[in-house]
Amino acid sequence: MGLTIGRARKGTSAADGGSRIPFNAINENLLNKIIDWVTSYAGAHPEESKLKFKSTMTWSTSLKIEDFSGGAFEQRGDDMVSTETIGKENTPCIRLHKDSDGLYKMSVQTVAALVQVLNIARDRRLDETRACLEANPDPTAVIAGDRFSSVKGEDLSTYRYMQEIMKEGDSEEDTEQKRITLKLVMHIQKQDVDLLQSYSEAISGTMRLTPARVEEDVVLIKEFCGEDEDVHVLEDISFTTDHKFQNHCRSPPWRQILGDIAYIEVKPHDEDPFFITASTTGYFVNKGWVKEKCDLDYEPAGEVNSNLVELLKTKSAKFAELIVRQSWDDLSNIKNKKQKSLKSKPQTVNGRRK
């Protein structure tokens, strides 16, 4: 589910380390779908659901010791652990640990244990799922190991793992464990693809930006740019490339898949230059140009804003001061004048007026 979670986290605040999943209708629907899939999966696939995770899945939780009761749990100091254990070390499948700062951390070792925690959370399941995925943005890597990390493009990890299973030399027990692991990974990967498709469709249904809209916004604001900082709202604003693909996007195809449309360089009068990503979900400041890579760092460095002017106001006090002397109607009037000017120009064929 790493690809879908990465898409849901796109455009979060740099103050959060880009790890937050914003609460909105689309993301709430996504989290509920994940909850439904995980809870139903345990019943449909009991063998895979009891497979011990490669790494412990841990997150900050709102659950407390008093939320756990019955013979399935026992208290050990400040911790509450499940009586059910797993592995040679007899690790508790569920552990609720109280930190020195008084906050609680939840740790689970299997899918079945995860379902048990969600059942205990009840009406807090959405919050727990969000916290879990923010702390474990690539669940497949946690469950099956880093070799199964979610990647873009061609992924041969599953194929190579199948080759390992077919090789002779492993014990029957090891081969069986690998078989179960492979089944679980393939189930998760299929669900990730399904979730990503439905998420992309939902995003498209509420799309606020198109290549044409981005082009219009930048061109219009550029009309108010110049060297006079007492008059011009910015020194300059421009796209990072003049190249357009057939779909009119300026971002490379592998970034278009993630929703990026174009990248904009902004030169304010009162701040250092910075770069903005125009994506289907809105505008946001990215982490800027990396000299060593000769490329942009596409990671978000701020919140998503549906309005380019409003975003620029938050980044430049001079822009915010001067833009109030103008209005979006003024910008639109410039556009209308340009369109009328183009229509009024005589059309020519082979250099002759028609």
Side-chain angles (χ1 to χ4, degrees), residues 299-321:
E299 287 299 310
E303 301 287 350
V304 178
N305 199 310
S306 61
N307 190 303
L308 182 56
V309 170
E310 293 302 316
L311 176 58
L312 291 171
K313 283 182 180 179
T314 67
K315 294 295 293 180
S316 168
K318 178 64 71 173
F319 178 91
E321 173 191 348

Short mmCIF file of all heavy atoms in Angstrom, two decimals, residues 299-321:
data_model
loop_
_atom_site.label_atom_id
_atom_site.label_comp_id
_atom_site.label_asym_id
_atom_site.label_seq_id
_atom_site.Cartn_x
_atom_site.Cartn_y
_atom_site.Cartn_z
N GLU A 299 9.99 16.80 -3.31
CA GLU A 299 9.26 16.66 -2.06
C GLU A 299 8.61 17.98 -1.65
O GLU A 299 9.21 19.05 -1.81
CB GLU A 299 10.20 16.19 -0.95
CG GLU A 299 10.62 14.74 -1.06
CD GLU A 299 9.42 13.81 -0.97
OE1 GLU A 299 8.62 13.97 -0.04
OE2 GLU A 299 9.27 12.95 -1.85
N PRO A 300 7.40 17.94 -1.13
CA PRO A 300 6.72 19.17 -0.72
C PRO A 300 7.43 19.85 0.45
O PRO A 300 8.00 19.19 1.32
CB PRO A 300 5.33 18.67 -0.27
CG PRO A 300 5.18 17.32 -0.90
CD PRO A 300 6.55 16.74 -0.98
N ALA A 301 7.39 21.16 0.46
CA ALA A 301 7.94 21.94 1.56
C ALA A 301 6.89 22.89 2.10
O ALA A 301 7.21 23.92 2.68
CB ALA A 301 9.18 22.71 1.10
N GLY A 302 5.63 22.57 1.90
CA GLY A 302 4.55 23.42 2.37
C GLY A 302 3.19 22.84 2.03
O GLY A 302 3.10 21.79 1.41
N GLU A 303 2.17 23.51 2.47
CA GLU A 303 0.80 23.05 2.27
C GLU A 303 0.33 23.26 0.83
O GLU A 303 0.84 24.14 0.12
CB GLU A 303 -0.14 23.79 3.22
CG GLU A 303 0.17 23.62 4.70
CD GLU A 303 -0.18 22.25 5.23
OE1 GLU A 303 -0.86 21.47 4.52
OE2 GLU A 303 0.23 21.95 6.36
N VAL A 304 -0.65 22.48 0.43
CA VAL A 304 -1.24 22.62 -0.90
C VAL A 304 -2.24 23.78 -0.89
O VAL A 304 -3.00 23.94 0.06
CB VAL A 304 -1.96 21.32 -1.32
CG1 VAL A 304 -2.62 21.50 -2.69
CG2 VAL A 304 -0.97 20.17 -1.37
N ASN A 305 -2.21 24.56 -1.95
CA ASN A 305 -3.14 25.69 -2.08
C ASN A 305 -3.74 25.64 -3.49
O ASN A 305 -3.02 25.48 -4.46
CB ASN A 305 -2.43 27.02 -1.86
CG ASN A 305 -3.37 28.15 -1.52
OD1 ASN A 305 -4.37 28.36 -2.22
ND2 ASN A 305 -3.07 28.90 -0.46
N SER A 306 -5.04 25.78 -3.58
CA SER A 306 -5.70 25.73 -4.89
C SER A 306 -5.51 27.01 -5.69
O SER A 306 -5.77 27.04 -6.89
CB SER A 306 -7.19 25.45 -4.71
OG SER A 306 -7.81 26.50 -3.97
N ASN A 307 -5.02 28.06 -5.03
CA ASN A 307 -4.88 29.37 -5.67
C ASN A 307 -3.43 29.81 -5.64
O ASN A 307 -2.82 29.93 -4.57
CB ASN A 307 -5.76 30.39 -4.92
CG ASN A 307 -5.86 31.71 -5.65
OD1 ASN A 307 -4.84 32.35 -5.93
ND2 ASN A 307 -7.07 32.14 -5.95
N LEU A 308 -2.84 30.06 -6.81
CA LEU A 308 -1.44 30.44 -6.90
C LEU A 308 -1.18 31.78 -6.21
O LEU A 308 -0.15 31.96 -5.55
CB LEU A 308 -1.00 30.49 -8.36
CG LEU A 308 0.46 30.84 -8.63
CD1 LEU A 308 1.39 29.88 -7.91
CD2 LEU A 308 0.75 30.83 -10.13
N VAL A 309 -2.07 32.73 -6.38
CA VAL A 309 -1.89 34.04 -5.75
C VAL A 309 -1.85 33.91 -4.23
O VAL A 309 -0.99 34.51 -3.56
CB VAL A 309 -3.02 35.00 -6.17
CG1 VAL A 309 -2.99 36.27 -5.33
CG2 VAL A 309 -2.90 35.35 -7.65
N GLU A 310 -2.75 33.12 -3.67
CA GLU A 310 -2.79 32.95 -2.21
C GLU A 310 -1.52 32.29 -1.71
O GLU A 310 -1.01 32.64 -0.63
CB GLU A 310 -4.02 32.12 -1.81
CG GLU A 310 -5.35 32.81 -2.07
CD GLU A 310 -5.45 34.14 -1.35
OE1 GLU A 310 -5.06 34.21 -0.16
OE2 GLU A 310 -5.91 35.12 -1.97
N LEU A 311 -1.00 31.34 -2.47
CA LEU A 311 0.26 30.70 -2.07
C LEU A 311 1.41 31.70 -2.09
O LEU A 311 2.22 31.74 -1.16
CB LEU A 311 0.57 29.52 -3.00
CG LEU A 311 1.90 28.80 -2.77
CD1 LEU A 311 1.99 28.26 -1.35
CD2 LEU A 311 2.10 27.69 -3.78
N LEU A 312 1.47 32.51 -3.13
CA LEU A 312 2.54 33.50 -3.23
C LEU A 312 2.46 34.54 -2.11
O LEU A 312 3.48 35.04 -1.64
CB LEU A 312 2.48 34.19 -4.60
CG LEU A 312 2.85 33.31 -5.79
CD1 LEU A 312 2.55 34.02 -7.11
CD2 LEU A 312 4.32 32.90 -5.73
N LYS A 313 1.26 34.84 -1.67
CA LYS A 313 1.09 35.77 -0.54
C LYS A 313 1.78 35.24 0.72
O LYS A 313 2.33 36.01 1.51
CB LYS A 313 -0.39 35.99 -0.25
CG LYS A 313 -1.10 36.92 -1.21
CD LYS A 313 -2.56 37.07 -0.76
CE LYS A 313 -3.34 37.99 -1.68
NZ LYS A 313 -4.75 38.10 -1.25
N THR A 314 1.73 33.94 0.92
CA THR A 314 2.33 33.35 2.12
C THR A 314 3.85 33.31 2.05
O THR A 314 4.52 33.18 3.07
CB THR A 314 1.82 31.91 2.35
OG1 THR A 314 2.30 31.06 1.30
CG2 THR A 314 0.30 31.87 2.37
N LYS A 315 4.40 33.45 0.84
CA LYS A 315 5.84 33.34 0.66
C LYS A 315 6.55 34.68 0.52
O LYS A 315 7.76 34.77 0.70
CB LYS A 315 6.15 32.48 -0.58
CG LYS A 315 5.74 31.02 -0.46
CD LYS A 315 6.53 30.32 0.63
CE LYS A 315 8.00 30.19 0.28
NZ LYS A 315 8.77 29.50 1.33
N SER A 316 5.81 35.72 0.18
CA SER A 316 6.43 37.03 -0.04
C SER A 316 5.54 38.14 0.50
O SER A 316 4.43 38.36 0.00
CB SER A 316 6.69 37.25 -1.53
OG SER A 316 7.04 38.59 -1.80
N ALA A 317 6.04 38.84 1.52
CA ALA A 317 5.28 39.96 2.08
C ALA A 317 5.12 41.08 1.06
O ALA A 317 4.08 41.74 1.00
CB ALA A 317 5.98 40.48 3.33
N LYS A 318 6.15 41.29 0.23
CA LYS A 318 6.09 42.33 -0.81
C LYS A 318 5.00 42.00 -1.84
O LYS A 318 4.26 42.87 -2.27
CB LYS A 318 7.45 42.46 -1.49
CG LYS A 318 7.51 43.48 -2.62
CD LYS A 318 7.26 44.90 -2.13
CE LYS A 318 8.41 45.42 -1.31
NZ LYS A 318 8.25 46.86 -0.98
N PHE A 319 4.94 40.73 -2.22
CA PHE A 319 3.89 40.31 -3.15
C PHE A 319 2.52 40.54 -2.54
O PHE A 319 1.60 41.07 -3.19
CB PHE A 319 4.07 38.83 -3.51
CG PHE A 319 3.01 38.30 -4.43
CD1 PHE A 319 3.18 38.34 -5.80
CD2 PHE A 319 1.82 37.75 -3.93
CE1 PHE A 319 2.20 37.86 -6.67
CE2 PHE A 319 0.84 37.27 -4.77
CZ PHE A 319 1.02 37.32 -6.14
N ALA A 320 2.36 40.14 -1.27
CA ALA A 320 1.06 40.30 -0.60
C ALA A 320 0.66 41.77 -0.51
O ALA A 320 -0.53 42.11 -0.64
CB ALA A 320 1.13 39.68 0.80
N GLU A 321 1.67 42.62 -0.30
CA GLU A 321 1.39 44.05 -0.19
C GLU A 321 0.96 44.64 -1.54
O GLU A 321 -0.02 45.40 -1.61
CB GLU A 321 2.65 44.77 0.31
CG GLU A 321 2.53 46.29 0.30
CD GLU A 321 3.88 46.96 0.54
OE1 GLU A 321 4.83 46.25 0.93
OE2 GLU A 321 3.97 48.17 0.29
#
